[in-house]
Amino acid sequence: MKTERALERYRVELTMNEGKSPRTVSSYLQDLELYLNFLNEQGVSDTEDITPALVESFITQQAQHKAPSSIARMASSIRSFHHYLSFLYETPDPSVSLEVHRGPGKLPVYGTVEEIRTLLGSFDDSDPRQCLYHAILEIIYSCGLRVSEAVGLTLNRVDLETGFVRVEGKGNKERIVPIPHGSIPILKHYRDTVRPLYEKKKSNLFFVNRLGNKVTTQSVEEIMRRKKTELGFKKKLTPHKLRHSYATHMLEGGADLRSIQEMLGHSSISTTQIYTHTGNETLRKSYDEHHPGELNEDLGDIVVKP
């Protein structure tokens, strides 16, 4: 089969049948377009002519100027593409032995409890627009939502009386997350005073902007950029970093990893485990600051840490 035709069929499979998010579909297709361009440069235009050596050669070439995490995603895109073709047409899979090890990942950036309090306390809730974005950031942090999940919430999914939100995450998977009691007042204030003011036309969206339309993820990100400057935060806090903050603070507060996985909507526990490293970093910092062996200026020559 011609590689262009194979890619078009796989595009339909990704979009219609696998239920992947638009961002994931876009990333996979960009990777595969690079891959097919490489094959074309090698004179290969038919999927039956693709060999394991060609697959390895492409990955080796890309690894010279791309981060390990990007290479790992590329390998995943290629494996998924060839697995689809192999299953559908009963042909050999040239990527079956492809192995790419993701490099050591960076620890997620997160805000401290005090930074989050400062952020959420900086809004003037008497101003409808500020109240709207306060409520959005509040539910992102207090429930660990992705920004796309927050702006896509509908009225029937946010139950402020019982304190639960039903979230439709990646792959249309639904999860139920409790809303902390302290977050409910601002959400009710937005729902009962600002939303009726902004709802120009009938909508089932929980969050609507002043024109009555869906709030964009870009506008939420812009608010965070402005707040970072306004509040003088040094670290790069974004709406997604609020989700990292939620997970980190939950872990530090004693929540078990499996519960955090469920509330974040991670399909694999390995994705959630990154936050244990963050917790270890916090533990080490606390140890360094408070262990008696660190106070050698006051305790003479006592040094516990090697």
Side-chain angles (χ1 to χ4, degrees):
M1 180 187 295
K2 293 297 181 184
T3 53
E4 292 84 357
R5 185 182 177 193
L7 179 60
E8 188 55 40
R9 291 199 172 187
Y10 184 60
R11 185 195 309 271
V12 173
E13 170 69 14
L14 275 178
T15 308
M16 304 297 294
N17 298 329
E18 292 200 9
K20 295 187 182 299
S21 71
R23 181 174 292 183
T24 299
V25 170
S26 177
S27 295
Y28 269 43
L29 293 177
Q30 285 177 11
D31 291 342
L32 291 172
E33 284 171 4
L34 280 175
Y35 176 53
L36 296 193
N37 286 339
F38 168 82
L39 293 175
N40 187 55
E41 290 170 1
Q42 307 305 310
V44 175
S45 59
D46 195 293
T47 57
E48 293 184 6
D49 297 329
I50 302 174
T51 64
L54 279 170
V55 177
E56 291 281 357
S57 181
F58 170 73
I59 290 296
T60 300
Q61 180 198 77
Q62 293 297 309
Q64 294 175 7
H65 54 86
K66 283 189 169 60
S69 58
S70 297
I71 297 303
R73 191 200 62 224
M74 278 187 159
S76 177
S77 302
I78 292 169
R79 279 194 293 260
S80 179
F81 173 63
H82 281 299
H83 178 75
Y84 164 74
L85 295 177
S86 178
F87 176 78
L88 201 62
Y89 301 106
E90 297 184 352
T91 55
D93 182 349
S95 71
V96 69
S97 60
L98 178 63
E99 289 188 9
V100 175
H101 300 289
R102 186 183 293 269
K106 295 180 180 178
L107 293 179
V109 175
Y110 66 95
T112 64
V113 172
E114 189 55 43
E115 285 170 334
I116 300 301
R117 284 176 179 163
T118 299
L119 169 67
L120 298 178
S122 67
F123 290 90
D124 177 4
D125 295 329
S126 64
D127 180 315
R129 188 169 186 271
Q130 289 198 51
C131 180
L132 164 65
Y133 285 104
H134 180 185
I136 293 174
L137 296 182
E138 184 80 39
I139 203 167
I140 288 175
Y141 169 69
S142 65
C143 297
L145 305 189
R146 301 176 178 92
V147 63
S148 58
E149 293 171 344
V151 298
L153 287 171
T154 52
L155 286 168
N156 65 322
R157 289 182 174 273
V158 183
D159 191 336
L160 299 181
E161 279 59 53
T162 60
F164 286 93
V165 58
R166 287 189 296 118
V167 186
E168 186 175 325
K170 289 184 176 181
N172 297 321
K173 293 179 181 177
E174 186 176 89
R175 66 187 191 276
I176 298 177
V177 182
I179 305 172
H181 295 301
S183 300
I184 290 177
I186 181 58
L187 295 172
K188 281 187 174 181
H189 179 59
Y190 158 76
R191 182 195 64 184
D192 298 339
T193 61
V194 176
R195 192 181 181 282
L197 183 68
Y198 278 177
E199 190 182 27
K200 311 297 183 185
K201 53 192 174 184
K202 190 166 183 62
S203 170
N204 69 337
L205 287 169
F206 187 79
F207 293 113
V208 293
N209 62 22
R210 63 185 180 83
L211 299 176
N213 298 324
K214 182 179 180 179
V215 176
T216 65
T217 57
Q218 291 83 359
S219 69
V220 182
E221 289 164 355
E222 176 59 26
I223 287 295
M224 282 294 290
R225 280 193 291 270
R226 292 183 185 181
K227 283 294 180 182
K228 177 182 177 294
T229 301
E230 174 191 326
L231 300 173
F233 290 153
K234 301 301 181 184
K235 63 186 67 169
K236 187 179 179 182
L237 287 181
T238 65
H240 197 68
K241 299 300 189 297
L242 295 183
R243 178 171 154 91
H244 290 327
S245 304
Y246 164 86
T248 303
H249 298 164
M250 287 284 289
L251 189 65
E252 291 176 350
D256 66 276
L257 207 58
R258 185 67 67 182
S259 297
I260 295 173
Q261 176 197 357
E262 292 178 2
M263 287 185 280
L264 289 176
H266 287 161
S267 57
S268 170
I269 192 70
S270 62
T271 308
T272 318
Q273 283 174 333
I274 183 65
Y275 298 106
T276 63
H277 300 302
T278 304
N280 290 340
E281 288 291 307
T282 303
L283 183 63
R284 165 58 67 181
K285 183 178 179 182
S286 178
Y287 172 90
D288 288 345
E289 290 177 353
H290 302 294
H291 193 282
E294 295 303 312
L295 306 180
N296 48 356
E297 290 185 5
D298 298 323
L299 300 177
D301 295 328
I302 298 176
V303 179
V304 176
K305 192 176 72 174

